Amino acid sequence: MNTSTYRQLIIIAPTCPPGVCGVSDHAYKTALALNKFYKSVKIGVEYFPEVIRDTPLTLTTAYWQSLLKQIEKNSTPGDLLLNFTPTSYSKTGLPFKLLQALKKFKKESPYNHLYIFFHETWDDSAGLRIHHKLRNQLIKYTVKQLSKLADGITVVTNEQKEKIISLTNSKKVRLSLVGANILPVDKENGLTSIRKPGEWVIFGLAHTRLWTLQQHLPLIKELHNNGLIKKIYAIGPLNNHYADEELSLASGQLGPGVLIQTGTLDPGEVSAMMLTAEAALVGQTADSLRKSGTFAALSAHAVPVICEAPVTLDEPPGVAIFRPHELMTNQTLLTTIEGEKRRLLLHQWFWLTRSWEAIALDMQSWING
């Protein structure tokens, strides 16, 4: 019997909508989808956004400290899902008050269960400054303490899984699913919308867009010279040297007016552009595609994705992704029957496995498994 309907769930996240935070947005949408499985679902936040929401949030939202105190008072057993990133709850990487509160939560009742979602881990890259190395040590200590307390641990990439297992020797680390923060009004819109030939998109922060542009430049130049790429819309934040370099590179290599920097757009505007884009350039590794909300959103909108991902990739499906060398060989591949098949496959993959309903079922089966 599913006993979760007799329990309460508290999901802890850095903040809540309308705050700009991908982790918190994922946490809130997961909470909404999990609501039907529990007696109650509440959101506990570290801080509230400065921007005031137009309409009230659907779920009870309060500081996590007050929600944990409520559990102490009413003695109702509960599940607690912590959405963790290294500095969300302490800039030093050691959220002492949170650790103490979670220890108390676990001690209060053997029926209280704690689950940790590590959205990010520590940075092990070479050449770190001393204060970053020190913070890494504090983060690793925190991860170890959380792992000891946790009834279950989940991450979004194999690299994260290997790092957590190596640090903690934990056998309870699993891979979780990441959804899309931007969705079409109707799931079929991506397949019925009219694409604009020659209009492509790149999404992300300026440095990510620049790297993607550099990575795909040979393909872009070839297709542009043959009239198959007319405009590239760079969607995301501006006003830094990476954005300036992005525009300079595109102007020098493709001519003026080919790359159009839109700046940050609201979700509805981004969705509208995804529904008309002929293709999207993605510059991520195969492993990082699993945790990319942008990739998930492109899939939800049935946008053909150009990315250096192996065809053998199973999650997400590598056979549904277009590789640059394929388009170099067959420059009209996007508009062929094969191209349409891949677009349909990517769209089906998303709505079967990455919708918020699918993510909630995956999360619920993990917590109550």
Side-chain angles (χ1 to χ4, degrees):
M1 183 178 67
N2 181 5
T3 58
S4 62
T5 51
Y6 302 100
R7 297 171 64 82
Q8 60 181 321
L9 172 66
I10 293 175
I11 296 183
I12 296 179
T15 187
C16 61
V20 180
C21 174
V23 169
S24 300
D25 199 38
H26 183 277
Y28 190 77
K29 286 184 169 65
T30 302
L32 288 173
L34 281 170
N35 199 26
K36 64 182 178 181
F37 296 112
Y38 280 87
K39 180 180 178 181
S40 70
V41 176
K42 298 176 182 178
I43 304 289
V45 299
E46 175 72 13
Y47 65 93
F48 280 91
E50 294 180 5
V51 180
I52 299 174
R53 192 176 178 88
D54 293 335
T55 56
L57 293 172
T58 304
L59 299 175
T60 298
T61 306
Y63 288 109
W64 60 261
Q65 296 92 331
S66 65
L67 293 183
L68 292 186
K69 285 179 181 177
Q70 288 177 21
I71 286 186
E72 293 175 32
K73 292 178 181 178
N74 61 29
S75 301
T76 303
D79 294 331
L80 196 157
L81 174 61
L82 171 66
N83 290 271
F84 181 86
T85 64
T87 56
S88 290
Y89 307 97
S90 170
K91 291 182 179 179
T92 67
L94 177 58
F96 181 76
K97 291 182 179 178
L98 178 62
L99 282 175
Q100 291 301 107
L102 295 178
K103 287 177 183 178
K104 190 174 182 181
F105 168 79
K106 286 299 297 287
K107 284 182 180 179
E108 279 164 0
S109 169
Y111 303 106
N112 283 346
H113 300 151
L114 173 64
Y115 302 91
I116 314 289
F117 193 150
F118 289 106
H119 291 264
E120 297 173 12
T121 54
W122 56 92
D123 179 8
D124 274 332
S125 57
L128 293 177
R129 295 184 178 182
I130 293 177
H131 67 281
H132 287 145
K133 290 182 178 179
L134 176 59
R135 187 169 66 184
N136 268 354
Q137 293 305 311
L138 294 176
I139 292 168
K140 289 179 180 180
Y141 172 81
T142 299
V143 170
K144 283 184 177 180
Q145 295 303 306
L146 288 173
S147 298
K148 289 177 183 177
L149 293 170
D151 294 283
I153 297 169
T154 192
V155 295
V156 288
T157 70
N158 285 302
E159 180 188 10
Q160 292 170 337
K161 183 177 180 179
E162 290 168 5
K163 287 172 75 172
I164 298 288
I165 291 174
S166 176
L167 179 70
T168 66
N169 293 318
S170 175
K171 304 300 182 185
K172 52 194 173 187
V173 185
R174 74 187 284 272
L175 289 175
S176 198
L177 305 175
V178 172
N181 295 335
I182 298 172
L183 293 173
V185 174
D186 185 273
K187 74 175 187 179
E188 297 301 322
N189 286 357
L191 298 176
T192 59
S193 62
I194 299 174
R195 305 283 159 178
K196 295 180 179 178
E199 295 197 1
W200 290 32
V201 291
I202 301 178
F203 293 92
L205 299 174
H207 70 275
T208 303
R209 300 194 313 265
L210 174 61
W211 184 64
T212 301
L213 190 65
Q214 292 170 331
Q215 182 183 7
H216 293 301
L217 194 57
L219 173 66
I220 295 170
K221 288 177 68 175
E222 177 74 15
L223 296 186
H224 174 63
N225 290 338
N226 292 334
L228 296 172
I229 290 182
K230 299 171 184 176
K231 301 285 183 184
I232 300 175
Y233 292 94
I235 303 170
L238 302 176
N239 301 322
N240 62 34
H241 70 92
Y242 292 113
D244 295 339
E245 192 175 343
E246 172 191 45
L247 186 59
S248 176
L249 176 65
S251 297
Q253 296 291 325
L254 306 172
V258 177
L259 183 84
I260 300 172
Q261 295 176 320
T262 68
T264 303
L265 303 176
D266 68 43
E269 291 175 309
V270 175
S271 180
M273 295 198 75
M274 286 185 175
L275 290 174
T276 60
E278 185 177 38
L281 294 160
V282 172
Q284 293 175 296
T285 63
D287 194 38
S288 66
L289 286 176
R290 287 196 88 259
K291 72 167 189 172
S292 171
T294 298
F295 177 79
L298 290 168
S299 304
H301 289 78
V303 184
V305 171
I306 288 81
C307 180
E308 285 286 5
V311 71
T312 54
L313 189 65
D314 61 350
E315 223 309 296
V319 292
I321 296 170
F322 296 85
R323 278 150 289 281
H325 74 268
E326 292 181 301
L327 290 176
M328 280 288 205
T329 304
N330 182 0
Q331 297 186 5
T332 61
L333 179 60
L334 294 175
T335 57
T336 63
I337 293 175
E338 169 62 22
E340 284 298 306
K341 284 182 180 178
R342 295 191 195 187
R343 207 161 67 90
L344 177 61
L345 178 59
L346 197 61
H347 185 263
Q348 289 175 332
W349 164 80
F350 175 85
W351 289 104
L352 285 173
T353 68
R354 295 302 184 89
S355 68
W356 291 110
E357 292 78 13
I359 288 173
L361 282 172
D362 175 72
M363 191 69 69
Q364 194 265 349
S365 64
W366 168 53
I367 291 175
N368 294 285

